[in-house]
Amino acid sequence: VGEACPLTQDRARLEAQALIEEARHCPAHVPKVWKYDGTMKTIVMHYIEPPHIILRKGLCAGTVYPKLAEHMAEFMAATLFSTSRLAMSDTAFRQASAMGANAEMCKITELVIFTEPYGIASNNRHTTPQLDSTVAALREDAEAKVAISELKTKFVEKAEAYLHGDLHTGSMMCTQESTQVIDPEFAYYGPIGFDVGSFLANLLMAYFAQDGHATATDDRSKFRAWLSQCIVDTWQLFATKFLTRWSERAAAGGENSAYPALLFGQVAGGQAALAAAQSALMAEVFRDTLGFCGAEIIRRTVGIAHVEDLESIQDPEVRAACERRAIKLARTLLVLKDKACPDIKAVVVAADAQRQS
């Protein structure tokens, strides 16, 4: 990013710490850390063997990963629930969130996701001149500026769980049977919807990019349909797995400082209160997910760091058309959130409508 956000070597320790914590809660989808050397700032971790490849590479090639939604839903539900106040005492949560502070890396996120894309900044770039008018409109969009600033406040203040912090399709390695999540150097305590929204945003960008990867023998319609279903399945499975963990913990009388058993357990009105609390929280997480999803798409199309799914489209006219559709959907998710898309199926319907517009 430059001198505005200098990086410290301590990020290696924070990445090792995050990998260890994630593996503790979801060992099936996180490589084991064998050793961290604090002097050399070196992480020795389990070798992720071939044929694992970076997921984004596979998506660009049109490879279907039938277990991706199940695996990523499990990873997100396990890590986000287990590191939240839903699964620990307030004291333990304060201690954990203090250990998870990652100010230097968060400063980068706050700059490149929540600030620069909405103004004139040297780091920004876009497909020009095709997207010039789209970018100019974004820089003048008062509603978008208010929405992104509200999301930045949530990113800074809303410490709900220990996030991966950069959960895009370049941060996981996959085969047909395995998904391994890597590179959590941006890990910190923040809003649950940030991780979920980031992952779904990258699937949506892959969806919009397919028109740029179509050939005479493969229009990518089947792959695009799989991506749409993967988006729906990921959210629905995540929500189910997250709530299942919550309900099981409540039934077992486990520690939950957010919704204690004294109020939400086997007491008068407790079960009704628990159901209401679960519904309210998941609605809030979904709303945040949509907003952060929109923010991720915008920063990946007009900010400093783009995605290979779109960047590898050789024809600038085709690439710009794909990006423009993605930006339009992103703006809707950022500003209107669940008012425009009340459930996850509405998101893929909206994406399809933008693609055909």
Side-chain angles (χ1 to χ4, degrees), residues 168-186:
H168 57 78
T169 52
S171 292
M172 50 205 71
M173 300 183 71
C174 298
T175 68
Q176 302 295 301
E177 299 295 326
S178 170
T179 303
Q180 298 294 305
V181 180
I182 58 174
D183 293 346
E185 63 178 339
F186 284 84

Side-chain angles (χ1 to χ4, degrees), residues 275-287:
Q278 290 178 328
S279 178
L281 180 62
M282 294 312 294
E284 183 179 0
V285 171
F286 183 68
R287 191 177 307 116

Side-chain angles (χ1 to χ4, degrees), residues 143-293:
E143 290 183 316
K145 289 182 178 183
V146 170
I148 197 64
S149 297
E150 290 173 347
L151 281 179
K152 182 179 179 181
T153 296
K154 287 188 176 184
F155 180 84
V156 173
E157 298 179 357
K158 197 175 183 180
E160 288 184 317
Y162 195 30
L163 310 186
H164 178 282
D166 197 23
L167 198 59
H168 57 78
T169 52
S171 292
M172 50 205 71
M173 300 183 71
C174 298
T175 68
Q176 302 295 301
E177 299 295 326
S178 170
T179 303
Q180 298 294 305
V181 180
I182 58 174
D183 293 346
E185 63 178 339
F186 284 84
Y188 90 114
Y189 261 81
I192 290 170
F194 184 76
D195 265 5
V196 184
S198 295
F199 179 61
L200 295 183
N202 280 263
L203 294 182
L204 281 166
M205 285 184 283
Y207 171 90
F208 283 111
Q210 293 314 304
D211 286 317
H213 296 294
T215 65
T217 57
D218 182 7
D219 65 2
R220 293 291 185 107
S221 59
K222 291 183 179 179
F223 186 64
R224 194 165 50 244
W226 171 76
L227 283 167
S228 293
Q229 191 61 50
C230 188
I231 291 165
V232 172
D233 290 347
T234 297
W235 168 261
Q236 291 181 339
L237 287 166
F238 162 73
T240 298
K241 290 171 179 290
F242 191 95
L243 288 174
T244 297
R245 282 175 167 79
W246 186 350
S247 295
E248 288 176 348
R249 191 170 190 84
E255 188 75 63
N256 180 336
S257 59
Y259 300 95
L262 180 66
L263 306 180
F264 297 88
Q266 300 298 325
V267 297
Q271 292 305 295
L274 177 63
Q278 290 178 328
S279 178
L281 180 62
M282 294 312 294
E284 183 179 0
V285 171
F286 183 68
R287 191 177 307 116
D288 287 351
T289 292
L290 296 187
F292 288 122
C293 179

Side-chain angles (χ1 to χ4, degrees), residues 117-120 124-141 301-302 306 316-317 319-321 323-324 327:
Y118 303 86
I120 299 174
N124 291 345
R125 61 187 179 87
H126 62 269
T127 302
T128 185
Q130 290 86 353
L131 290 184
D132 287 358
S133 61
T134 300
V135 172
L138 182 65
R139 290 172 179 166
E140 297 174 1
D141 191 332
T301 47
V302 306
H306 291 216
E317 295 293 339
R319 181 171 66 250
E323 292 171 330
R324 189 178 297 108
I327 292 169

Side-chain angles (χ1 to χ4, degrees), residues 96-129:
S97 57
M99 288 290 291
N102 195 353
E104 289 80 9
M105 302 305 283
C106 283
K107 184 178 179 180
I108 295 174
T109 301
E110 289 151 15
L111 181 68
V112 303
I113 295 182
F114 300 106
T115 308
E116 288 188 341
Y118 303 86
I120 299 174
S122 60
N123 285 325
N124 291 345
R125 61 187 179 87
H126 62 269
T127 302
T128 185

Side-chain angles (χ1 to χ4, degrees), residues 16-164:
Q17 173 183 286
L19 283 167
I20 292 169
E21 182 69 4
E22 289 171 349
R24 186 163 74 91
H25 302 298
C26 192
H29 301 303
V30 182
K32 180 180 177 63
V33 171
W34 296 106
K35 180 178 177 60
Y36 171 68
D37 188 311
T39 301
M40 299 300 294
K41 311 300 182 186
T42 301
I43 302 171
V44 180
M45 57 189 283
H46 182 77
Y47 174 56
I48 305 174
E49 69 281 353
H52 284 86
I53 64 168
I54 294 295
L55 174 59
R56 194 183 305 284
K57 297 284 187 183
L59 297 182
C60 288
T63 304
V64 169
Y65 295 93
K67 297 185 179 181
L68 180 62
E70 168 71 28
H71 290 172
M72 288 307 299
E74 176 65 20
F75 169 79
M76 293 188 293
T79 58
L80 297 173
F81 176 83
S82 300
T83 59
S84 74
R85 289 177 61 230
L86 298 171
M88 63 179 84
S89 69
D90 284 332
T91 298
F93 180 82
R94 290 191 187 96
Q95 292 171 340
S97 57
M99 288 290 291
N102 195 353
E104 289 80 9
M105 302 305 283
C106 283
K107 184 178 179 180
I108 295 174
T109 301
E110 289 151 15
L111 181 68
V112 303
I113 295 182
F114 300 106
T115 308
E116 288 188 341
Y118 303 86
I120 299 174
S122 60
N123 285 325
N124 291 345
R125 61 187 179 87
H126 62 269
T127 302
T128 185
Q130 290 86 353
L131 290 184
D132 287 358
S133 61
T134 300
V135 172
L138 182 65
R139 290 172 179 166
E140 297 174 1
D141 191 332
E143 290 183 316
K145 289 182 178 183
V146 170
I148 197 64
S149 297
E150 290 173 347
L151 281 179
K152 182 179 179 181
T153 296
K154 287 188 176 184
F155 180 84
V156 173
E157 298 179 357
K158 197 175 183 180
E160 288 184 317
Y162 195 30
L163 310 186
H164 178 282

